[in-house]
Amino acid sequence: MNIKNLCVLFAVMITSITNSIAQEMDFENYNPKSTLVVPVHEVKRAKFPFIDVHSHQRDMSPEALSALVKDMDALNEGVMVNLSGGSGERLNTMIKNIAANYPNRFAVFANVDFEGVGSDGWSEKAAKQLETDIKNGAKGLKIFKSLGLRYTDSDGKRLAIDDPRLDPIWAKCGELGVPVLIHAADPKSFWDPMDKDNERWLELKTHPRRKRSDTDPAPWEQIIEEQHHVFKKHPNTKFINAHMGWYANNLKELGELMDAMPNMYVGIAAVIAELGRQPKNAQAFFIKYQDRILFGKDSWKPEEFPTYFRVLETDDEYFPYYKKYHAFWAMYGLNLPDGVLKKVYYKNALKIIPGLDNSLFKE
């Protein structure tokens, strides 16, 4: 066989191998770029100053605060609410650093230590510590999803969100006039069978620890109902349901829940992908419940905020989300009216979080 024939054979073999690899590509790696040509209105900076009610910052040293403010200014973020304040001295240190450096740009929520629930005097001690934290400058209470998923009481039993031993905590927030931002459970799909019908399959494949079941630790419906029971039992306390209570994919039912629980607000952190795939339905929901929806992002990645702005502010079509494993579908803009945008971006937060600087948010 001459050199020319060998080259032809080699080229055929390479083509065959390439085609075989392409045909056997894993779904995890398949991420096609759209060829659709439509108007593009990227929004790097929010149209109005906003309050991010759902951020997590472990480091609030003066140096960290300065770096944060620089990024916040670029995004047009007026106030960041740090939900990871902790309690006691850790919280006090954060509050002192804020007061000494950027007193009107940050707010901190306290956290409750649920260790020892059921021991003598726990409820009274926890409520007293919370009251002290609020008096020292915390603007609210953040409850992590560990309540309902991981925490146990002094007898080793799962600590339900609506455990009556926690009632003094919710009541104290109502008494002091501060909101509770609470995250319960995770998306319902994490409890569903991990099969071809589960649209969060890719996330569960890449993050297997997120998979749940009715016995790990309890049915999704039970955990969510425990949360709703607390809302109903404490009508004088304002609750911000994180991640729209995991009902952003069922806005009809979420609306019914909001009608039944007027003290429940919702934050949009980490669920913009659900809203962006149903622009007409989501726009109607935002207009109807415009007084009870708050802006939030969750993970602090400034480069991801423009996707939120674009969904909320524009009428763009078919643009990508930034995490394929969260959403392999495309986004559409809700094109919210300015009056609604202002409420979502800052007015609703100013209304329910005490002590924020109104002067940062001009009409």
Side-chain angles (χ1 to χ4, degrees):
M1 183 177 293
N2 59 36
I3 294 178
K4 181 178 180 180
N5 289 338
L6 281 172
C7 289
V8 171
L9 178 61
F10 182 71
V12 170
M13 291 174 63
I14 292 297
T15 301
S16 177
I17 292 171
T18 300
N19 289 338
S20 175
I21 292 174
Q23 291 171 0
E24 295 178 2
M25 179 175 57
D26 292 335
F27 176 67
E28 295 94 308
N29 298 317
Y30 181 60
N31 194 26
K33 294 183 178 180
S34 173
T35 60
L36 186 67
V37 179
V38 291
V40 174
H41 304 91
E42 294 189 5
V43 186
K44 301 296 185 182
R45 178 180 171 87
K47 187 174 185 178
F48 303 109
F50 66 92
I51 298 170
D52 181 357
V53 304
H54 196 135
S55 191
H56 297 284
Q57 304 295 333
R58 308 297 178 186
D59 182 4
M60 300 203 83
S61 63
E63 296 77 16
L65 294 177
S66 294
L68 288 171
V69 166
K70 182 178 179 180
D71 287 332
M72 290 164 62
D73 287 344
L75 296 170
N76 202 17
E77 179 173 349
V79 175
M80 174 188 288
V81 179
N82 179 19
L83 301 178
S84 300
S87 183
E89 191 55 39
R90 179 173 181 270
L91 175 68
N92 293 341
T93 298
M94 287 187 179
I95 293 171
K96 290 176 182 177
N97 285 342
I98 292 170
N101 293 277
Y102 300 95
N104 64 343
R105 300 298 301 276
F106 297 92
V108 182
F109 276 28
N111 309 129
V112 170
D113 181 1
F114 289 101
E115 184 71 28
V117 174
S119 59
D120 290 343
W122 182 92
S123 300
E124 293 75 16
K125 292 176 185 177
K128 184 177 181 180
Q129 180 61 54
L130 176 61
E131 182 171 14
T132 299
D133 291 336
I134 299 300
K135 288 182 177 179
N136 286 340
K139 303 299 186 184
L141 171 66
K142 167 62 164 77
I143 301 297
F144 296 97
K145 66 181 179 181
S146 297
L147 179 61
L149 288 181
R150 301 186 185 93
Y151 290 139
T152 56
D153 66 10
S154 57
D155 293 325
K157 297 179 180 178
R158 184 183 77 90
L159 186 61
I161 298 173
D162 60 351
D163 190 298
R165 293 170 291 189
L166 307 185
D167 281 340
I169 299 294
W170 320 126
K172 181 60 67 174
C173 289
E175 174 190 329
L176 298 175
V178 297
V180 178
L181 195 150
I182 179 170
H183 174 171
D186 271 324
K188 172 66 167 59
S189 296
F190 289 5
W191 273 257
D192 293 336
M194 189 179 165
D195 57 22
K196 62 182 179 61
D197 295 322
N198 192 324
E199 66 179 352
R200 304 295 284 256
W201 179 90
L202 181 58
E203 183 170 0
L204 294 173
K205 174 69 162 51
T206 55
H207 300 75
R209 291 185 178 181
R210 297 183 182 179
K211 184 70 180 76
R212 297 287 180 180
S213 71
D214 285 354
T215 58
D216 180 21
W220 184 85
E221 294 84 357
Q222 178 181 334
I223 298 173
I224 297 298
E225 180 55 35
E226 290 171 0
Q227 182 201 60
H228 295 169
H229 184 209
V230 169
F231 297 170
K232 294 173 182 176
K233 191 174 182 180
H234 297 274
N236 295 323
T237 301
K238 291 182 172 65
F239 293 91
I240 305 170
N241 203 342
H243 316 299
M244 299 187 87
W246 302 121
Y247 278 97
N249 61 336
N250 188 348
L251 295 178
K252 180 178 183 297
E253 186 164 355
L254 179 56
E256 293 171 354
L257 291 169
M258 295 184 77
D259 292 341
M261 295 176 284
N263 60 327
M264 182 182 87
Y265 296 72
V266 293
I268 65 172
V271 291
I272 200 70
E274 298 288 4
L275 301 171
R277 61 170 169 168
Q278 50 175 331
K280 293 181 180 179
N281 193 37
Q283 184 198 62
F285 182 89
F286 270 67
I287 291 173
K288 182 175 182 180
Y289 296 101
Q290 59 187 271
D291 296 316
R292 294 165 62 190
I293 304 172
L294 292 87
F295 183 90
K297 169 66 176 61
D298 202 349
S299 61
W300 174 245
K301 294 184 179 180
E303 69 275 12
E304 295 177 353
F305 278 73
T307 297
Y308 279 69
F309 306 154
R310 193 175 179 188
V311 169
L312 297 174
E313 298 182 22
T314 79
D315 61 357
D316 281 3
E317 298 181 290
Y318 208 83
F319 52 91
Y321 187 58
Y322 48 79
K323 286 182 181 178
K324 181 193 170 190
Y325 71 80
H326 267 178
F328 50 83
W329 52 80
M331 304 285 99
Y332 297 80
L334 308 189
N335 195 27
L336 294 176
D338 284 356
V340 176
L341 271 175
K342 290 178 181 179
K343 289 181 179 180
V344 173
Y345 274 154
Y346 66 89
K347 285 188 175 182
N348 293 338
L350 289 176
K351 183 173 60 178
I352 67 172
I353 301 176
L356 301 185
D357 186 355
N358 287 267
S359 69
L360 296 171
F361 307 93
K362 302 295 185 181
E363 286 292 337

